[in-house]
């Protein structure tokens, strides 16, 4: 799907696969190996968690059943006390989240029927019924964990004491990092080309109004590769990860209505709404993007070369050139500096950097400017850019002054872990817990046996 925000799809699918797949095996008759408050843990839960870890490519040779069982018990303890503490997870919240995950799963496997079949359920209603309970428990668990650590803060003195308390041979090593900045020049699309696309969409729209099949038109003309096979079909709700402009139009239409052509970052669309079911809309759409001419690409390259020459000649700084000339609105006002999507800070650890970006900057020295790079991005198309790196730090043993923020993060996490351990110890004492004799020899981190 070219116009959906995909960054959450993979993580959602892994979550669904892990939790739902683990639940599927509960259809077999197996033993209850643990009880925590109102929740039970089945022996098959451990079997299937091992299988799922292997599916994800994780070596399970050194992971014991006792460790996995302990994790299951912890999750049940959180969920049980979330209810006791009156943490509320509404049905509407669960249903909304479930629909988002189902959309992601359908995109992965092709259809709802395939999802239901994959998880060995009789029908969609049965699948949704137990999937609902899984999501609700997961949300209770995460909210309880958040509540435990929400008020945990850390002072500079605590950070200092934490660092001083690390044995010399255990002081962490931080990888090489750098700050990256870029200037982007996009090719200019002519008004004539935009008009051509809009006129074609209007022509298609009129044909459909006159009786032609929107499905057939989508198969023939849409440039959205994800939906071409289904005739441009999607089912969305307000929280589906589509761009705002697309959803605004989709939810403004009545059943059977076809939109005028409208623009998003991906190009121009028309939408036909087929059905409205409560908060969900079933629709078909056609996407067409204006084409960039060869001359426009040449002009963009010439412009980026001219900018680079001015920076090299000290006529303007890289940061000022980005502010005045870059076509990337997200970075131009910050002098072209990129934010690390993992940390939302302007530094990238080389070993964790996107491979494509790493290839573009790894050989640059501080302050050096790359030659023009032809690049391409979702929703942007092809463009030219120049990049530079600043404030490079090599791999080094943690230094309190230089790495204070990283050390503070480690110290805070350590304090949160201790707070969770303290909470768990107290709650285990006051919660009904029963462990199967089959697991009596497990050496758990928590005192599940209440010895």
């Amino acid at each position: 799907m070219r116009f959906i925000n995909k960054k959450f799809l993979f993580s959602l699918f892994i979550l669904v696969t892990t939790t739902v797949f683990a639940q599927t095996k509960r259809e077999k008759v197996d033993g209850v190996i643990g009880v925590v408050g109102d929740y039970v843990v089945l022996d098959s839960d451990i079997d299937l968690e091992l299988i799922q870890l292997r599916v994800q490519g994780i070596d399970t040779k050194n992971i014991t059943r006792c460790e996995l069982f302990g994790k299951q018990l912890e999750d049940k303890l959180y969920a049980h006390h979330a209810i006791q503490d009156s943490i509320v997870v509404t049905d509407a919240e669960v249903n909304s989240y479930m629909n988002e995950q189902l959309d992601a799963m359908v995109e992965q496997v092709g259809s709802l029927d395939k999802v239901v079949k994959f998880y060995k359920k009789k029908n969609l209603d049965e699948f949704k019924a137990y999937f609902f309970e899984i999501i609700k428990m997961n949300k209770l668990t995460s909210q309880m964990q958040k509540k435990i650590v929400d008020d945990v803060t850390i002072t500079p003195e605590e950070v200092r004491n934490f660092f001083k308390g690390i044995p010399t041979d255990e002081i962490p090593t931080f990888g090489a990092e750098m700050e990256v900045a870029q200037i982007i020049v996009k090719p200019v699309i002519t008004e004539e080309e935009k008009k051509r696309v809009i006129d074609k969409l209007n022509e298609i729209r009129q044909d459909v109004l006159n009786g032609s099949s929107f499905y057939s038109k989508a198969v023939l003309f849409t440039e959205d590769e994800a939906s071409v096979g289904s005739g441009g079909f999607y089912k969305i709700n307000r929280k589906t990860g589509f761009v705002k402009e697309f959803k605004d139009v989709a939810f403004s239409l009545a059943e059977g209505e076809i939109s005028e052509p409208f623009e998003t970052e991906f190009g121009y669309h028309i939408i036909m709404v087929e059905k409205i079911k409560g908060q969900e809309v079933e629709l078909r759409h056609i996407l067409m993007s204006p084409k960039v001419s060869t001359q426009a690409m040449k002009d963009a390259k010439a412009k980026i070369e001219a900018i680079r020459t001015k920076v090299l000649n000290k006529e303007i700084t890289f940061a000022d050139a980005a502010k005045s000339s870059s076509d990337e609105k997200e970075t131009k006002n910050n002098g072209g500096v990129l934010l690390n999507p993992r940390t939302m800070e302007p530094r990238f650890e080389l070993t964790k950097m996107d491979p494509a970006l790493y290839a573009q900057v790894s050989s640059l020295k501080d302050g050096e400017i790359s030659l023009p790079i032809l690049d391409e991005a979702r929703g942007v198309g092809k463009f030219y850019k120049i990049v530079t790196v600043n404030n490079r730090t090599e791999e080094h043993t943690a230094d309190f002054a230089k790495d204070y923020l990283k050390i503070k993060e480690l110290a805070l996490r350590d304090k949160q872990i201790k707070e969770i351990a303290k909470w768990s110890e107290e709650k285990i004492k006051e919660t009904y817990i029963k462990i199967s004799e089959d697991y009596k020899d497990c050496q758990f981190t928590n005192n599940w046996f209440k010895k």
Side-chain angles (χ1 to χ4, degrees), residues 186-202:
K186 301 175 184 177
V188 177
I189 298 173
T190 65
E191 292 303 315
E192 290 79 9
E193 174 61 11
K194 292 179 182 178
K195 184 176 183 301
R196 181 192 69 79
V197 171
I198 293 171
D199 288 347
K200 182 62 180 178
L201 287 171
N202 274 321

Side-chain angles (χ1 to χ4, degrees), residues 209-406:
L209 290 173
N210 291 337
S212 294
S213 164
F214 196 104
Y215 176 99
S216 298
K217 294 290 187 181
V219 170
L220 290 172
F221 295 107
T222 190
E223 296 174 17
D224 174 26
E225 296 176 1
S227 69
V228 62
S230 62
F233 179 80
Y234 286 111
K235 180 168 68 174
I236 68 172
N237 58 50
R238 286 286 184 182
K239 293 188 177 181
T240 301
F242 284 38
V243 292
K244 180 179 183 298
E245 298 88 346
F246 189 93
K247 290 194 289 187
D248 286 347
V249 173
F251 286 98
S252 71
L253 300 173
E255 286 190 1
E257 190 176 359
I258 306 175
S259 74
E260 301 285 345
F262 65 96
E263 187 178 11
T264 72
E265 63 188 75
F266 303 97
Y268 290 88
H269 311 250
I270 55 173
I271 290 175
M272 182 182 74
V273 169
E274 291 193 336
K275 291 182 181 178
I276 299 175
K277 297 180 178 179
Q279 300 300 312
E280 293 184 336
V281 172
E282 294 182 4
L283 59 84
R284 296 187 187 277
H285 91 117
I286 294 172
L287 167 68
M288 298 182 71
S289 302
K291 302 301 179 284
V292 176
S293 68
T294 302
Q295 186 58 50
M297 291 302 299
K298 290 180 179 178
D299 292 344
K301 185 176 182 182
K303 182 178 178 181
I304 200 78
E305 287 174 337
I307 294 170
R308 181 175 185 270
T309 298
K310 287 184 177 181
V311 177
L312 290 174
N313 291 339
K314 311 294 185 183
E315 297 175 38
I316 190 172
T317 65
F318 193 98
D320 286 341
K323 292 176 183 177
S324 62
S325 303
S326 182
D327 290 330
E328 186 175 50
K329 61 182 181 180
E330 293 86 359
T331 62
K332 66 180 299 178
N333 292 327
N334 194 32
V337 175
L338 298 176
L339 292 181
N340 186 332
R342 293 179 56 253
T343 64
M344 298 311 294
E345 295 180 354
R347 295 194 66 77
F348 292 81
E349 188 172 342
L350 268 62
T351 57
K352 298 177 182 177
M353 185 181 286
D354 175 81
L357 181 60
Y358 177 81
Q360 294 168 358
V361 303
S362 60
S363 62
L364 294 178
K365 299 176 182 178
D366 268 18
E368 186 178 359
I369 302 170
S370 72
L371 292 169
I373 300 168
L374 178 61
D375 208 340
E376 187 171 6
R378 181 184 69 87
V380 178
K382 293 182 178 179
F383 56 87
Y384 281 97
K385 71 178 183 180
I386 53 176
V387 296
T388 189
V389 299
N390 301 298
N391 304 319
R392 185 196 305 262
T393 58
E394 300 304 327
E395 182 178 294
H396 63 284
T397 301
D399 177 273
F400 186 78
K402 294 180 180 178
D403 302 304
Y404 177 79
L405 291 178
K406 288 188 177 65

Side-chain angles (χ1 to χ4, degrees), residues 10-22 45 47-60 63 68 118-119:
F10 181 74
S11 59
L12 288 180
F13 185 66
I14 288 298
L15 169 63
V16 172
T17 304
T18 303
T19 56
V20 177
F21 188 46
D45 293 338
D47 296 330
L48 289 160
E49 192 163 347
L50 279 167
I51 292 171
Q52 184 54 37
L53 289 172
R54 292 171 190 140
V55 167
Q56 296 178 49
I58 297 172
D59 187 355
T60 60
I63 299 177
L68 296 178
F118 182 80
Y119 294 113

Side-chain angles (χ1 to χ4, degrees), residues 402-433:
K402 294 180 180 178
D403 302 304
Y404 177 79
L405 291 178
K406 288 188 177 65
I407 295 167
K408 179 182 178 182
E409 184 179 337
L410 293 175
L412 177 60
R413 181 57 184 155
D414 181 70
K415 189 174 180 180
Q416 289 173 335
I417 290 172
K418 290 176 179 176
E419 187 66 25
I420 288 174
K422 179 182 176 183
W423 178 92
S424 298
E425 183 180 357
E426 293 172 353
K427 296 303 178 182
I428 286 173
K429 291 177 181 177
E430 64 185 60
T431 306
Y432 174 76
I433 296 170

Side-chain angles (χ1 to χ4, degrees), residues 17-289:
T17 304
T18 303
T19 56
V20 177
F21 188 46
Q23 293 285 330
T24 300
K25 271 293 199 175
R26 293 188 175 186
E27 293 175 357
K28 81 171 190 175
V29 177
D30 63 345
V32 174
I33 59 174
V35 179
V36 180
D38 297 326
Y39 292 95
V40 300
V41 181
L42 302 179
D43 202 33
S44 60
D45 293 338
I46 312 301
D47 296 330
L48 289 160
E49 192 163 347
L50 279 167
I51 292 171
Q52 184 54 37
L53 289 172
R54 292 171 190 140
V55 167
Q56 296 178 49
I58 297 172
D59 187 355
T60 60
K61 290 179 182 178
N62 297 319
I63 299 177
T64 67
R65 294 181 69 83
C66 288
E67 290 173 326
L68 296 178
F69 185 27
K71 179 62 169 61
Q72 292 271 352
L73 293 171
E74 288 175 13
D75 290 344
K76 302 300 186 288
L77 185 70
Y78 293 133
H80 174 74
H81 283 283
I83 295 174
Q84 302 302 308
D85 289 4
S86 300
I87 290 176
V88 176
V89 175
T90 66
D91 288 357
E93 181 184 354
V94 174
N95 282 321
S96 175
Y97 190 66
M98 178 167 64
N99 289 332
E100 288 180 21
Q101 294 196 29
L102 284 175
D103 288 341
M105 294 172 70
V106 168
E107 184 165 344
Q108 293 285 335
V109 301
S111 70
L112 276 173
D113 287 341
K114 289 182 179 179
V115 172
V116 173
K117 184 177 179 181
F118 182 80
Y119 294 113
K120 300 179 181 178
K121 288 300 174 183
K122 296 177 182 177
N123 52 52
L124 182 59
D125 289 340
E126 182 181 319
F127 176 80
K128 283 187 172 183
Y130 79 84
F131 192 16
F132 180 96
E133 294 303 322
I134 294 166
I135 293 173
K136 187 167 185 176
M137 195 193 79
N138 285 342
K139 284 188 169 292
L140 287 168
T141 297
S142 62
Q143 289 188 33
M144 189 68 248
Q145 290 172 323
K146 183 176 183 296
K147 182 178 179 180
I148 296 167
V149 301
D150 257 355
D151 296 329
V152 177
T153 58
I154 196 159
T155 66
E157 186 62 26
E158 287 176 310
V159 177
R160 183 179 299 277
N161 290 335
F162 168 80
F163 187 68
K164 286 181 177 179
I166 301 175
T168 303
D169 60 347
E170 294 180 16
I171 294 177
T173 298
F174 295 131
E177 292 183 327
M178 63 172 62
E179 184 181 283
V180 181
Q182 66 183 21
I183 297 173
I184 283 178
V185 172
K186 301 175 184 177
V188 177
I189 298 173
T190 65
E191 292 303 315
E192 290 79 9
E193 174 61 11
K194 292 179 182 178
K195 184 176 183 301
R196 181 192 69 79
V197 171
I198 293 171
D199 288 347
K200 182 62 180 178
L201 287 171
N202 274 321
E203 177 187 320
I204 294 171
R205 179 177 184 273
Q206 191 58 51
D207 286 346
V208 175
L209 290 173
N210 291 337
S212 294
S213 164
F214 196 104
Y215 176 99
S216 298
K217 294 290 187 181
V219 170
L220 290 172
F221 295 107
T222 190
E223 296 174 17
D224 174 26
E225 296 176 1
S227 69
V228 62
S230 62
F233 179 80
Y234 286 111
K235 180 168 68 174
I236 68 172
N237 58 50
R238 286 286 184 182
K239 293 188 177 181
T240 301
F242 284 38
V243 292
K244 180 179 183 298
E245 298 88 346
F246 189 93
K247 290 194 289 187
D248 286 347
V249 173
F251 286 98
S252 71
L253 300 173
E255 286 190 1
E257 190 176 359
I258 306 175
S259 74
E260 301 285 345
F262 65 96
E263 187 178 11
T264 72
E265 63 188 75
F266 303 97
Y268 290 88
H269 311 250
I270 55 173
I271 290 175
M272 182 182 74
V273 169
E274 291 193 336
K275 291 182 181 178
I276 299 175
K277 297 180 178 179
Q279 300 300 312
E280 293 184 336
V281 172
E282 294 182 4
L283 59 84
R284 296 187 187 277
H285 91 117
I286 294 172
L287 167 68
M288 298 182 71
S289 302

